[in-house]
Amino acid sequence: MKNLKLILLNVIPFLIFKLGIFSSVYAQKIFEPPPQDQKKVIKATQITTNLKIDGVLNESVWAKAKKYQAFTQVEPNQGQASDFITEVKVLYNDQYLYIGAFCKDSLGKKGLRVPNLRRDFDWGSGDLFGVVIDAFRDERNAISFQTNPYGARRDMQVFDSNIFDTDWDGFWKVRTSRTNEGWIAEMRIPWATIRYPKGDNQEWGINFVRRARRVNEISSWAAYPRAFNPYRMSYAGILKGIKPPPPSTNIRVQPYVFASANRNNDSTSLFASDNLFTKMGGEVKWAITPNTVLDFTVNTDFAQTDVDRQVVNLTRFSVFLPERRQFFLENASLFAAGSNDHVQPFFSRAIGLDNQGNPIPIDAGLRLTHRSTKRSLGALMVRQRGLGDSPAANFGVLRYVQNFGKQNRLGGMVTARYDEALEHKGIQDRYNFTGTIDGFFRFSRPLSWQFYVSGSETKDQNSNGWAGYSSLRYRSNQWYFYYDYQFIEKNYESTAGFIRRRNYMANSGGGYAILRPSWKPKFIRSYEPGVFATVIHRNEDRQFLESSVTFFPIWILFQDGSRLVGEIEPTRQNLLNTFSPLLVDIAQGTYDYTRYRFTYSSDVSKKLSFYLQYETGNFFDGKLDTYQARLTTSPIPHTYFSVNYQYNNARQLGAEKEDKEAHLIAPELRLALNARVQLNAFYQYNSLSKFANWNVRFSWEFQPLSFVYLVFNDTQNEGLTPVQHAQQVIGKVTYLKQF
């Protein structure tokens, strides 16, 4: 135990420090970005007509545009010419930027891989073509528009190539077609969607990326190292010859009308008049300048949002559930100043949701964001309505980030939450404030450091506390190392954020090699063995709480994207209080045990794919076997079915030496007429909590970002007495108009 702590506190930081000193030596494995005068250049062709977006590229103006096709491999053979020809053309007029791409494939239609037509599909799931644009040429901020051979859309905002707003939905259109020679993508992007500086001589950073999933090749027009991603804009080329109109009034209005029928634990008809409810609301987005955007929402509704996925939690940490509501997802990265899923001084799920994930009405919200090459600013105010025993609450967030150097930044954030009193319930008003300073520094292309320090004050408890985090990362084509330190005092509180666990300090570190020896079999892409280790103490007195070391001598990535992983995890737990995983009480004391984990995931782009994981070994004072399986089938891209299943089998666990089982099953069906008309049905059942729910959602995007939704929810909780059963049918129409 002492030796493990010594490694974490001394050896690993020293190793990363040495890597920082000699990073220029190691970095020569990662080729340098080209100088400005040697960057690749693509020129756009001006047109005077508006094109019909049909994915064919048969208009005469496309034939006049210059063709660019020299793509370079990123994977598997970095620096070599792509095995597939990709032709790109760029047109523009006074309203739109047009991008046409012909992605050739030697097998034509038969060579294409598209497992589903979901919006914001997974990066590695199938064939893909995308463009990345850095309109301000700061090599820090970028937006990306991507599609697959069936026209599904994937778009995002990216900052410093390591912060991703993947849930940003831009206003743009794409259509595709498939031929005997490959597939064609035709994009139309309004100038207002891109946002760019004023001036006549516009030159933007730009790159194009393609994934040919059948052979799992990634290629790009402007080459970048495989250790990074296509959003590292220092490697991008330059788009010249464009003359976009001067930035002007840019207002986007998106009202909605909503009707629902709700029934809770009664026998009346679901559509009885007493169960019917209607409302209206909407959002307004005003791009005051190309850098500054004001968002306003009133009577906010998230009826179409995906339901949370259930988990069986076997740890002493609270479960982190991601945000899924669109208003809070956009620009969420600007308000992130914590450590992802451990501590977030501001986390939007604290607004409009109770601890069980049930919605609480939001009366109104206002968000102002400003991003430029030098700084970013953000302000958020939300009014949450009082409901039952929950008092009305007011939220406020202020954020400032200063950029300096190539990719360095320092920031500060203040959050405040005021819960109003409910005198008839004897509930007093409550104030909670946090103040946070955070930063990110990229010392060299492989080496970066991130940190935050946050303090809190809670008025009704007259308490205050501190939390902090420091993270070093080194990533090259051959190595990955990290060292993290985190602490949270027992009185630190953020009622506008998320705290996974209080009163602890954690040291963790480790790394892995990325080996591609010449003697490896051709069907293997890389071996990546390594070790991760963590030690956790109680913060107030430094008493030991737990430690674990995860060895993964088997970590094999195959050429088709499948993986085989074998792990060994020795663990020590010091329970200061009774712990009850699987609803079995485990007494205080120290426990040493070892877990073994084996995982195989197949090629997700195939019509039939699967994920298998088996974990076994001791668990505290008993034994635990965990089986996880996911089967996915997609005979055609329009039909997708998956089923996830987890089975936990504990034996001789706890003071009573109990045997316990827990099942979690979650099938999902997605039917798509095309990328804009889809039906999704999702069911999940947890045998431990005896909780089951259905979510069935039909969506029709009748024009970009304008939707018709029909939703059915059915929730049954047999773990409560009396049994809770709720049903809901929702109809919602949203319409987006951009001025």
Side-chain angles (χ1 to χ4, degrees):
M1 182 64 208
K2 291 182 179 179
N3 291 336
L4 175 58
K5 184 177 179 182
L6 179 65
I7 291 173
L8 285 168
L9 295 178
N10 297 297
V11 177
I12 293 177
F14 175 75
L15 177 58
I16 297 180
F17 176 71
K18 296 295 287 183
L19 283 170
I21 294 176
F22 296 107
S23 62
S24 61
V25 176
Y26 291 101
Q28 62 186 335
K29 297 292 185 179
I30 300 177
F31 56 82
E32 298 275 352
Q36 290 295 321
D37 60 354
Q38 295 181 18
K39 285 180 176 290
K40 298 186 73 171
V41 174
I42 187 170
K43 292 185 178 181
T45 301
Q46 186 174 14
I47 60 176
T48 57
T49 58
N50 285 333
L51 302 183
K52 179 182 179 181
I53 304 302
D54 53 13
V56 180
L57 306 185
N58 57 355
E59 293 91 344
S60 59
V61 290
W62 281 116
K64 297 177 182 178
K66 187 174 180 180
K67 178 171 58 180
Y68 298 85
Q69 64 180 36
F71 275 54
T72 302
Q73 286 190 46
V74 179
E75 290 281 6
N77 301 309
Q78 179 179 290
Q80 294 186 14
S82 172
D83 290 337
F84 299 88
I85 295 175
T86 305
E87 299 175 354
V88 178
K89 297 180 179 181
V90 181
L91 304 174
Y92 76 95
N93 59 21
D94 57 357
Q95 289 182 283
Y96 305 106
L97 178 71
Y98 297 94
I99 296 173
F102 184 16
C103 304
K104 296 186 178 182
D105 191 295
S106 57
L107 297 183
K109 298 178 183 179
K110 296 180 180 179
L112 305 181
R113 299 279 183 91
V114 178
N116 64 68
L117 303 184
R118 180 170 58 88
R119 176 76 187 253
D120 293 325
F121 53 90
D122 294 333
W123 160 259
S125 61
D127 281 71
L128 170 150
F129 171 81
V131 57
V132 189
I133 296 173
D134 173 14
F136 288 88
R137 289 290 302 278
D138 60 4
E139 299 185 351
R140 306 188 65 141
N141 302 303
I143 55 174
S144 182
F145 305 92
Q146 302 169 10
T147 190
N148 65 24
Y150 283 80
R153 282 177 293 171
R154 185 176 190 262
D155 46 16
M156 69 184 75
Q157 296 175 321
V158 187
F159 311 96
D160 288 338
S161 75
N162 74 329
I163 299 177
F164 304 90
D165 272 342
T166 56
D167 292 288
W168 172 75
D169 287 337
F171 186 79
W172 61 293
K173 187 174 183 178
V174 63
R175 293 292 185 269
T176 59
S177 62
R178 297 157 300 283
T179 74
N180 292 329
E181 295 181 331
W183 64 286
I184 299 170
E186 186 175 24
M187 298 179 178
R188 185 183 71 192
I189 307 170
W191 295 114
T193 298
I194 300 174
R195 297 176 192 154
Y196 47 86
K198 296 179 180 179
D200 297 329
N201 298 318
Q202 296 279 336
E203 291 187 358
W204 296 355
I206 196 167
N207 206 354
F208 303 95
V209 62
R210 178 185 175 185
R211 188 170 204 136
R213 192 58 181 84
R214 173 168 52 87
V215 296
N216 206 17
E217 181 194 276
I218 301 173
S219 61
S220 64
W221 173 66
Y224 66 90
R226 66 169 182 260
F228 304 148
N229 56 51
Y231 321 109
R232 186 69 72 96
M233 299 309 291
S234 58
Y235 291 88
I238 302 173
L239 173 62
K240 293 185 177 183
I242 54 172
K243 297 178 182 178
S248 59
T249 302
N250 185 355
I251 297 177
R252 200 166 88 180
V253 180
Q254 192 169 22
Y256 76 84
V257 293
F258 168 96
S260 70
N262 306 272
R263 180 172 65 182
N264 293 287
N265 278 13
D266 60 49
S267 57
T268 62
S269 169
L270 176 62
F271 296 99
S273 58
D274 291 343
N275 295 332
L276 300 181
F277 174 72
T278 61
K279 67 175 180 178
M280 298 177 64
E283 299 174 10
V284 177
K285 181 185 295 292
W286 176 24
I288 303 171
T289 72
N291 305 90
T292 306
V293 180
L294 180 68
D295 294 275
F296 176 69
T297 178
V298 61
N299 211 15
T300 316
D301 177 75
F302 304 108
Q304 73 278 10
T305 303
D306 285 346
V307 298
D308 291 326
R309 272 37 176 176
Q310 297 185 57
V311 297
V312 176
N313 187 14
L314 301 175
T315 74
R316 289 192 273 170
F317 293 89
S318 299
V319 175
F320 177 83
L321 297 173
E323 178 61 86
R324 298 181 182 276
R325 299 168 297 173
Q326 186 57 44
F327 177 78
F328 293 113
L329 285 169
E330 186 165 343
N331 280 306
S333 62
L334 176 58
F335 296 95
S339 55
N340 297 324
D341 59 347
H342 284 275
V343 173
Q344 295 191 24
F346 172 70
F347 182 44
S348 54
R349 278 185 67 99
I351 304 174
L353 293 172
D354 64 17
N355 293 333
Q356 286 72 46
N358 300 311
I360 302 173
I362 295 175
D363 290 325
L366 188 69
R367 178 179 59 213
L368 179 70
T369 58
H370 170 86
R371 294 186 188 268
S372 69
T373 58
K374 294 182 178 180
R375 63 187 61 87
S376 297
L377 300 167
L380 177 70
M381 293 180 289
V382 178
R383 165 74 176 184
Q384 178 179 289
R385 191 180 309 166
L387 185 66
D389 294 338
S390 298
N394 302 278
F395 297 82
V397 186
L398 291 174
R399 177 71 160 137
Y400 179 82
V401 178
Q402 180 68 46
N403 300 326
F404 59 94
K406 283 291 186 180
Q407 286 190 351
N408 306 312
R409 61 180 182 268
L410 279 173
M413 186 170 72
V414 176
T415 72
R417 174 172 175 170
Y418 168 52
D419 292 85
E420 300 176 5
L422 285 178
E423 294 182 1
H424 67 284
K425 292 289 184 179
I427 299 176
Q428 301 297 315
D429 57 359
R430 184 188 190 198
Y431 298 84
N432 174 257
F433 303 93
T434 69
T436 304
I437 297 174
D438 68 310
F440 175 83
F441 297 86
R442 180 161 277 137
F443 301 119
S444 64
R445 282 178 297 283
L447 185 65
S448 63
W449 176 48
Q450 184 174 357
F451 78 93
Y452 80 87
V453 177
S454 182
S456 71
E457 183 175 1
T458 307
K459 288 293 186 181
D460 67 333
Q461 299 175 356
N462 293 319
S463 64
N464 54 68
W466 292 90
Y469 174 76
S470 175
S471 175
L472 276 168
R473 292 286 188 275
Y474 180 92
R475 182 187 298 275
S476 73
N477 286 348
Q478 290 79 32
W479 299 97
Y480 173 80
F481 295 102
Y482 78 98
Y483 171 71
D484 292 349
Y485 170 76
Q486 178 151 354
F487 77 92
I488 305 167
E489 293 184 348
K490 65 178 180 180
N491 290 329
Y492 180 82
E493 177 66 272
S494 179
T495 56
F498 172 81
I499 301 173
R500 197 175 182 199
R501 183 175 177 177
R502 290 179 178 81
N503 195 20
Y504 81 97
M505 56 178 292
N507 289 274
S508 61
Y512 56 85
I514 305 172
L515 307 176
R516 302 190 179 199
S518 58
W519 48 263
K520 67 176 177 58
K522 290 184 178 180
F523 60 86
I524 291 178
R525 179 161 292 184
S526 64
Y527 301 94
E528 302 181 12
V531 58
F532 298 155
T534 301
V535 178
I536 300 176
H537 290 79
R538 190 162 64 178
N539 186 74
E540 62 181 335
D541 57 9
R542 304 300 190 265
Q543 184 171 358
F544 171 76
L545 294 179
E546 62 183 89
S547 66
S548 65
V549 182
T550 304
F551 301 96
F552 42 102
I554 302 173
W555 205 107
I556 302 173
L557 174 64
F558 297 94
Q559 292 288 7
D560 63 1
S562 58
R563 287 179 173 85
L564 176 65
V565 182
E567 301 170 90
I568 305 170
E569 188 174 74
T571 300
R572 168 169 285 190
Q573 299 271 3
N574 180 25
L575 296 183
L576 304 181
N577 301 290
T578 301
F579 175 50
S580 303
L582 299 172
L583 304 180
V584 176
D585 292 338
I586 299 175
Q588 301 177 28
T590 301
Y591 300 87
D592 290 287
Y593 56 90
T594 301
R595 306 285 294 159
Y596 304 90
R597 193 161 41 246
F598 304 93
T599 307
Y600 179 75
S601 58
S602 70
D603 180 356
V604 296
S605 70
K606 290 186 175 180
K607 295 182 178 181
L608 181 66
S609 65
F610 56 90
Y611 169 91
L612 300 172
Q613 185 177 89
Y614 171 60
E615 186 174 338
T616 188
N618 296 327
F619 185 69
F620 291 93
D621 56 355
K623 295 182 180 298
L624 174 68
D625 290 340
T626 298
Y627 304 83
Q628 293 190 64
R630 180 179 65 248
L631 176 67
T632 300
T633 180
S634 179
I636 58 175
H638 305 77
T639 303
Y640 170 89
F641 175 76
S642 72
V643 58
N644 287 271
Y645 174 68
Q646 183 186 103
Y647 171 58
N648 293 280
N649 180 20
R651 303 178 301 282
Q652 300 296 297
L653 187 64
E656 303 297 325
K657 297 298 179 183
E658 298 181 56
D659 295 341
K660 196 77 171 184
E661 293 183 338
H663 303 265
L664 179 61
I665 186 169
E668 179 178 6
L669 174 67
R670 184 182 298 272
L671 302 175
L673 182 64
N674 52 48
R676 299 165 299 284
V677 181
Q678 302 194 29
L679 175 69
N680 187 51
F682 177 71
Y683 173 80
Q684 52 187 341
Y685 175 72
N686 187 333
S687 68
L688 192 65
S689 61
K690 297 182 179 179
F691 181 88
N693 70 287
W694 277 98
N695 174 248
V696 182
R697 184 177 69 249
F698 168 81
S699 64
W700 171 32
E701 188 175 10
F702 57 91
Q703 69 175 36
L705 298 184
S706 296
F707 294 89
V708 173
Y709 295 105
L710 296 175
V711 182
F712 171 71
N713 293 312
D714 184 289
T715 301
Q716 186 162 325
N717 193 338
E718 298 178 354
L720 299 177
T721 305
V723 172
Q724 299 295 307
H725 188 201
Q727 290 182 315
Q728 183 181 47
V729 174
I730 297 167
K732 182 177 178 181
V733 178
T734 71
Y735 177 77
L736 187 144
K737 178 65 176 178
Q738 185 157 332
F739 301 94

